[in-house]
């Protein structure tokens, strides 16, 4: 069962995506945020299979989150 964390600063887009993903059998959205500074904590705490990351987040840019924060926090195994 794949798990997802969604990082998107537009609430309507984030909520719609979360709803659509959760309608798939066996798929689960385990975290959502609109603030780039919260992404690392969600990823480290919840360990999703997939991170859906907006590249232009409030608080911290998505590429910075991905390269500087999350990549080291959850190495590919």
């Amino acid at each position: 069962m794949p798990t997802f964390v969604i990082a998107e600063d537009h609430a309507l887009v984030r909520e719609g995506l979360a709803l659509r993903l959760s309608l798939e059998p066996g798929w689960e959205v385990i975290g959502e945020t609109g603030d780039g500074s919260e992404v690392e904590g969600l990823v480290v705490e919840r360990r999703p299979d997939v991170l859906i990351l907006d590249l232009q987040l409030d608080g911290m840019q998505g590429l910075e989150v991905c390269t500087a924060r999350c990549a080291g926090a959850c190495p590919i195994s």
Side-chain angles (χ1 to χ4, degrees):
M1 161 178 16
T3 58
F4 300 84
V5 165
I6 303 169
E8 165 61 58
D9 57 345
H10 296 284
L12 186 61
V13 173
R14 184 177 64 246
E15 292 165 6
L17 186 54
L19 176 62
R20 178 62 186 99
L21 290 170
S22 65
L23 292 174
E24 288 294 324
W27 290 17
E28 184 180 9
V29 176
I30 57 173
E32 299 177 44
T33 185
D35 186 341
S37 62
E38 295 177 0
V39 176
E40 181 183 10
L42 277 173
V43 169
V44 169
E45 177 185 322
R46 306 205 179 152
R47 311 284 294 187
D49 297 312
V50 178
L51 170 61
I52 299 173
L53 181 62
D54 182 357
L55 294 180
Q56 303 230 347
L57 288 168
D58 293 335
M60 185 178 293
Q61 294 298 310
L63 278 179
E64 181 183 356
V65 170
C66 190
T67 59
R69 307 292 183 131
C70 295
C74 293
I76 297 170
S77 53

